[in-house]
Amino acid sequence: MKFPILFLWIFLIFLVTLPVSAKDTNQASSKENRVESILPSRPESGSPWGDSSERLDTIQVLNLVDEKNSEKRWQDANKEYSFAIDHFESGKKNIEKRKEDSKKEIYYEDRYEWQKQIRKENKEKEFQKQLFDLRTQTVTRLVKGMTLLDKIENPKVKDSAPYLDLKSGIYREYIKHQEAFKNYLQVIDFTHRYIDLSSKNEKEAEPHRLLALSYEKMEQTAIRSKNQELYYEFKELKKKHLLRFAEIHYGRDSKEFATIEEKVGKDF
């Protein structure tokens, strides 16, 4: 799935209005968030997609390259990646601490419950804004790391484990933040890029979980836009990655896989 094609799909959503049948629309509406109901809400234990992001030590890659600037670009990209992780984790902890501290504060001028509630809601909006800004800063660092890696053109470097591991790590972090932003188009695009980097990435369960969830969101967008063609397109992609997730996460011989396969077979 290539990025320009995805943007074309979204463009078509707003230009083409092929009506989805009432039966399909009602079915989809009555099963809102149906994928979430059968998928884990978090990555599996030990997954590189978990809360503890992976950091990569500086690796000497000079012996792999003919281009003298490749090692420096890799090291600079790794610095951006590490800084992005550390900056986000420390910033998030600070926000959480301030949030906890705010619960202990007493405002004697708030005499009524509605005043306390308004103050609480305003505080929550303030913390959400701080977290949004922190994610935006982190994404900027990650994009800078991607750009540095993209400037490395030597085939030996691009096929090397250090290059692929670092690019995978940057993509993982970027995808996590885009999911938090609810930018499902970006999640889809970069998750496919992540999978395409290596067979190891494709065999991880989490990318397929994210794709199943994101394609369902796009399926719902197609429903609201009454675009029948895109509705079925996204629906099939959702089912494909739902099955692949179940195969990797549970195993083909598991009861869980059999249950999900049955649901998919019934046009879930």
Side-chain angles (χ1 to χ4, degrees):
M1 191 63 53
K2 300 301 181 183
F3 195 58
I5 295 176
L6 287 169
F7 264 117
L8 178 60
W9 281 357
I10 302 307
F11 181 69
L12 287 173
I13 284 178
F14 296 103
L15 291 184
V16 185
T17 54
L18 302 176
V20 179
S21 71
K23 180 181 178 181
D24 285 335
T25 303
N26 292 336
Q27 261 188 350
S29 299
S30 65
K31 294 179 180 178
E32 187 83 0
N33 299 325
R34 58 196 181 282
V35 167
E36 285 95 328
S37 68
I38 62 172
L39 288 178
S41 59
R42 298 172 62 85
E44 58 193 336
S45 177
S47 167
W49 293 83
D51 293 333
S52 298
S53 300
E54 290 185 336
R55 290 159 178 78
L56 302 176
D57 294 330
T58 298
I59 301 171
Q60 296 294 322
V61 294
L62 194 59
N63 61 331
L64 298 171
V65 307
D66 299 319
E67 179 188 350
K68 76 174 185 177
N69 290 328
S70 293
E71 183 181 34
K72 185 178 186 308
R73 285 171 178 159
W74 187 94
Q75 290 174 343
D76 288 346
N78 191 31
K79 287 177 184 176
E80 295 293 340
Y81 170 60
S82 297
F83 182 87
I85 292 173
D86 292 338
H87 180 66
F88 180 75
E89 289 183 353
S90 63
K92 188 177 179 183
K93 285 178 183 177
N94 287 335
I95 292 172
E96 289 171 351
K97 185 179 184 304
R98 290 197 295 271
K99 195 172 183 180
E100 287 302 312
D101 290 343
S102 73
K103 294 178 182 178
K104 303 172 186 177
E105 295 174 349
I106 298 174
Y107 298 90
Y108 294 102
E109 62 269 32
D110 293 346
R111 300 175 56 190
Y112 303 103
E113 193 59 37
W114 63 267
Q115 291 175 310
K116 296 177 183 178
Q117 184 62 30
I118 289 175
R119 187 180 295 277
K120 181 181 177 181
E121 291 173 359
N122 288 338
K123 280 285 185 181
E124 181 60 30
K125 288 178 182 178
E126 179 185 336
F127 291 129
Q128 289 300 318
K129 173 66 166 55
Q130 291 173 6
L131 184 58
F132 179 91
D133 292 342
L134 180 61
R135 287 191 186 280
T136 301
Q137 294 164 14
T138 302
V139 164
T140 299
R141 287 281 184 175
L142 293 170
V143 170
K144 189 174 179 181
M146 289 183 207
T147 302
L148 285 164
L149 286 182
D150 287 342
K151 289 180 180 178
I152 298 175
E153 297 181 357
N154 187 282
K156 290 181 181 178
V157 179
K158 296 180 80 167
D159 289 337
S160 69
Y163 180 92
L164 294 173
D165 287 346
L166 179 55
K167 198 161 195 175
S168 295
I170 292 175
Y171 279 178
R172 273 196 303 272
E173 296 305 310
Y174 182 82
I175 292 164
K176 290 178 192 177
H177 292 295
Q178 293 302 329
E179 186 193 20
F181 286 143
K182 302 187 186 304
N183 290 338
Y184 298 112
L185 192 61
Q186 288 282 294
V187 172
I188 290 170
D189 174 42
F190 276 85
T191 304
H192 278 293
R193 295 191 194 198
Y194 178 84
I195 286 174
D196 290 342
L197 280 178
S198 70
S199 58
K200 181 180 75 171
N201 291 356
E202 195 282 331
K203 292 174 183 175
E204 294 175 359
E206 182 63 8
H208 299 284
R209 185 184 78 90
L210 290 170
L211 284 172
L213 292 168
S214 298
Y215 277 124
E216 180 169 82
K217 299 297 184 183
M218 300 311 299
E219 177 188 346
Q220 291 164 2
T221 299
I223 290 171
R224 290 192 294 271
S225 300
K226 298 181 180 180
N227 191 306
Q228 187 179 40
E229 184 178 353
L230 290 182
Y231 166 70
Y232 288 116
E233 184 87 33
F234 289 131
K235 188 174 186 178
E236 290 306 308
L237 288 166
K238 174 195 71 177
K239 292 193 290 185
K240 171 186 172 182
H241 290 284
L242 181 58
L243 276 176
R244 184 59 176 144
F245 168 83
E247 179 182 12
I248 296 170
H249 187 71
Y250 299 114
R252 288 190 66 87
D253 297 329
S254 66
K255 291 180 180 179
E256 291 86 351
F257 178 84
T259 299
I260 291 175
E261 186 178 38
E262 182 181 3
K263 286 180 179 291
V264 169
K266 292 178 179 179
D267 207 24
F268 176 71

